[in-house]
Amino acid sequence: MDSEKKIIFSGIQPSGSLTLGNYIGALRNWSKLQEDYSCYFCVVDLHAITVRQDPAMLRKRCMDTLCLFIASGIDPVENTIFFQSHVSAHAELSWVLSCNTYFGELGRMIQFKEKSQKHSENVNAGLFTYPVLMAADILLYQADLVPVGADQKQHLEIARDLAVRFNNAYSETFKVPEPFISGVGSRIMSLADPTSKMSKSDANENGYILMLDEPDVIARKIKRAVTDSDGVIAYDESRPGIYNLINIMSACSGITPEQIVDTYEGKGYGDFKMAVADSVIACLEPLQKRYNEIRNDKTFINEVMARGDEKAAKAAYKTLNKVYKKVGFAPKSL
């Protein structure tokens, strides 16, 4: 990777199978960044266990996620693709940053409040300190930019605050990362509740399309998508259901929302939903084919993992060693 390029860090949790929203809002955009930036793309498996996971299923989803990164067009040679848990510096820096994070800062985090309500039987310390680990993820790699959605801006602010706080206390150590906001198609909403973001953790399986869903499953879910009662195809945010379907079709086909409205004006929702399903199926078909090739090639996967872990660890420990020296820990050898 070119050291003169700005550095981007981003990650996705393997807490569920990845959705069309993950692809359009993140993975596809990541593949467009790799020529202009030095990119670290991480499967953030440590974050996943803030919610109780089935170990065998988590292990499978970790591997699935890694393979979907590559199937989405992310080059594992030009970029650093790795598992968070394979680089222990993430947990080590998280502890140092925890000792520089205020309790009140974490208590104000919106996601902590939301997840505490959703998982009231397991409100653990990891869920509370999650943003500190996220800050460690970013700061370890001296990231200049972090692709974020609206729901992650608050976490990036903590990372920025901690970088500034540590630099002021111990001298210049971390870059202060800036948000990288992607453009059109970055927010795909639930098919069942178009006022909420499409999420792999949605209890209603009809609310999301998985990247690996079969064509008939995709068609069935879109056919059941919530719209409204008047049957008008208009690109209008006040009609969130049809607005979301137009955005999905536009993102998958490359056709503008205005062109879609012109084409389907006066036609029924049934015909339009069929066209949306066809565009999603066509968009995901080559990705699914590539995924199946990768997932069945254990030699290739092992090579990707070894290369990514090594590159990530080298960069991470360069930062962590500086941090340990700054805070006053004894050197490992004299």
Side-chain angles (χ1 to χ4, degrees):
M1 293 187 296
D2 187 341
S3 60
E4 294 181 2
K5 292 181 179 179
K6 286 191 173 182
I7 296 170
I8 280 183
F9 176 91
S10 197
I12 289 182
Q13 280 195 50
S15 52
S17 299
L18 300 191
T19 70
L20 180 67
N22 293 126
Y23 177 59
I24 293 172
L27 294 177
R28 189 169 66 176
N29 291 327
W30 291 2
S31 68
K32 297 174 184 177
L33 300 174
Q34 57 193 358
E35 291 185 9
D36 299 320
Y37 300 93
S38 293
C39 299
Y40 291 84
F41 296 130
C42 183
V43 180
V44 287
D45 46 357
L46 295 177
H47 286 295
I49 63 170
T50 56
V51 176
R52 193 78 67 207
Q53 301 286 340
D54 174 84
M57 184 58 68
L58 177 60
R59 193 171 295 113
K60 178 184 181 300
R61 285 173 174 164
C62 285
M63 300 305 299
D64 288 349
T65 302
L66 184 81
C67 294
L68 283 170
F69 281 10
I70 303 166
S72 298
I74 299 169
D75 188 330
V77 176
E78 294 299 318
N79 304 281
T80 305
I81 302 175
F82 67 104
F83 289 109
Q84 184 188 28
S85 63
H86 290 190
V87 182
S88 59
H90 287 256
E92 294 171 276
L93 180 58
S94 181
W95 173 251
V96 176
L97 294 180
S98 291
C99 296
N100 289 272
T101 306
Y102 305 133
F103 190 88
E105 288 177 306
L106 298 179
R108 291 191 292 271
M109 299 302 291
I110 295 170
Q111 282 207 342
F112 171 71
K113 295 174 182 177
E114 290 177 349
K115 288 190 175 183
S116 295
Q117 293 173 349
K118 193 172 181 180
H119 302 281
S120 58
E121 77 290 348
N122 183 27
V123 183
N124 55 72
L127 191 62
F128 187 69
T129 60
Y130 175 104
V132 185
L133 178 57
M134 183 177 285
D137 298 338
I138 297 164
L139 299 181
L140 269 176
Y141 300 99
Q142 303 294 345
D144 296 284
L145 299 165
V146 182
V148 290
D151 56 346
Q152 294 294 342
K153 286 182 181 178
Q154 197 180 30
H155 287 163
L156 182 59
E157 282 304 311
I158 278 201
R160 288 170 51 81
D161 291 345
L162 288 174
V164 171
R165 187 175 302 156
F166 192 94
N167 290 348
N168 288 341
Y170 296 104
S171 77
E172 201 71 20
T173 307
F174 298 118
K175 284 183 183 177
V176 181
E178 297 288 340
F180 184 94
I181 311 281
S182 58
V184 178
S186 61
R187 192 167 176 83
I188 300 300
M189 311 305 282
S190 167
L191 299 177
D193 177 11
T195 62
S196 300
K197 184 179 177 182
M198 183 178 285
S199 171
K200 57 185 180 288
S201 60
D202 193 331
N204 184 351
E205 66 175 15
N206 291 313
Y208 53 77
I209 295 169
L210 299 180
M211 291 174 67
L212 298 177
D213 271 346
E214 297 287 341
D216 61 327
V217 175
I218 293 171
R220 185 183 73 244
K221 289 180 177 180
I222 291 178
K223 184 178 180 181
R224 295 176 178 175
V226 169
T227 49
D228 52 45
S229 58
D230 62 13
V232 176
I233 296 172
Y235 194 57
D236 182 351
E237 289 188 63
S238 68
R239 297 175 174 177
I242 197 70
Y243 182 80
N244 186 42
L245 289 178
I246 292 172
N247 278 333
I248 289 172
M249 186 173 182
S250 178
C252 289
S253 67
I255 303 171
T256 68
E258 293 74 21
Q259 289 172 318
I260 291 170
V261 171
D262 287 344
T263 301
Y264 292 93
E265 187 176 9
K267 296 183 179 180
Y269 282 165
D271 289 342
F272 177 63
K273 285 182 175 180
M274 189 178 299
V276 175
D278 288 344
S279 69
V280 173
I281 291 166
C283 176
L284 293 180
E285 184 180 21
L287 181 153
Q288 292 176 352
K289 181 180 178 182
R290 176 65 177 139
Y291 165 84
N292 288 325
E293 292 170 355
I294 296 165
R295 196 66 173 88
N296 293 317
D297 190 342
K298 291 184 179 179
T299 300
F300 175 72
I301 293 172
N302 285 333
E303 288 173 356
V304 170
M305 290 168 57
R307 184 190 305 114
D309 292 349
E310 182 180 359
K311 289 166 68 177
K314 183 177 179 180
Y317 277 100
K318 183 178 179 181
T319 297
L320 186 68
N321 289 337
K322 288 181 182 177
V323 170
Y324 275 17
K325 184 176 181 180
K326 294 281 182 77
V327 300
F329 292 159
K332 291 183 178 179
S333 59
L334 298 176

